[in-house]
Amino acid sequence: MADPVDGHFHACDVSDLDANRALVEFTQERYGGVDITLLNAGVATGCGVGEDFDPVRCRRAMGANLDGVVFGTHAVLPAPRARGGGSIVATASLAGLAAVPLDPLYAADKHAVVGLARSLGPALAPDNVRFNAVCPGFAESRIIDHLRGMLSEQGLPVIPAEAVADTVLRIVTGDDTGQCWFIQAGREPEPFRFRNVPGPARPVGA
């Protein structure tokens, strides 16, 4: 898939910090630096927290969905800093903005990515490195293979991969940081508007 865009493929286990570092080193040697990073790996867990709990599946999913984002960010961050700035985008999910009873551990991972994006946005701003997340619904990828029958029965459209790619392009060419862009079929992608956390209440009679 790299050939049509004159790119290069380099295998990487994103749950391995050293593998992330090796990928960044490869990219810098090949291209001279890194301006844009998309952290896009992800897997479903296939288990819950009850009788079907599987610690191996749980850790595998967390390794890809959360560790992959943390390790990837840590490994790549010196590169855009050295070039005066850059853009990092992490693929979260609509599961990072809503409840997912069918896969609560996946939702937990993606909620963590959303929290990371919201926090790293302002944290990295002094370095001119922008950090945002995309939160697609059911987008075209292998991760929805086991859901295709259910989606078809319920008449739920699958979001084209190009729609996600276009949103990532909007993010990296814009000025936002710390934003989590939702992507849903039939809607224009935009940053999700989080409600402010309530502040402390004044004591009665104060």
Side-chain angles (χ1 to χ4, degrees), residues 6-206:
D6 194 27
H8 298 275
F9 172 80
H10 185 88
C12 178
D13 177 357
V14 298
S15 66
D16 183 327
L17 179 56
D18 288 337
N20 281 273
R21 289 169 170 158
L23 177 58
V24 172
E25 182 179 354
F26 168 84
T27 304
Q28 288 181 298
E29 290 176 353
R30 178 73 66 170
Y31 297 104
V34 180
D35 299 302
I36 298 169
T37 302
L38 174 61
L39 305 169
N40 189 49
V43 296
T45 63
C47 69
V49 298
E51 294 181 357
D52 62 339
F53 178 67
D54 184 333
V56 174
R57 288 186 176 185
C58 176
R59 286 304 314 166
R60 175 179 178 270
M62 185 172 290
N65 300 334
L66 180 55
D67 292 347
V69 175
V70 174
F71 292 170
T73 300
H74 173 74
V76 80
L77 193 53
R81 277 176 169 164
R83 292 167 72 85
S87 178
I88 302 173
V89 180
T91 300
S93 169
L94 207 66
L97 302 173
V100 186
L102 293 177
D103 198 339
L105 296 175
Y106 178 80
D109 291 342
K110 293 304 185 176
H111 272 74
V113 173
V114 165
L116 189 68
R118 298 182 69 195
S119 302
L120 283 181
L124 299 179
D127 296 322
N128 199 32
V129 176
R130 295 182 297 108
F131 195 107
N132 295 282
V134 286
C135 301
F138 296 110
E140 183 57 56
S141 67
R142 290 177 58 188
I143 203 171
I144 68 164
D145 283 351
H146 68 294
L147 298 173
R148 292 183 188 276
M150 179 271 290
L151 296 176
S152 177
E153 290 175 3
Q154 296 190 12
L156 296 174
V158 175
I159 302 165
E162 291 80 3
V164 181
D166 288 345
T167 303
V168 172
L169 184 60
R170 286 178 61 181
I171 293 171
V172 300
T173 56
D175 297 320
D176 282 341
T177 192
Q179 300 290 343
C180 300
W181 288 61
F182 70 81
I183 307 171
Q184 279 282 50
R187 299 178 66 99
E188 182 69 15
E190 63 178 77
F192 185 74
R193 305 301 178 188
F194 294 89
R195 293 182 60 183
N196 291 328
V197 176
R202 292 181 177 274
V204 176

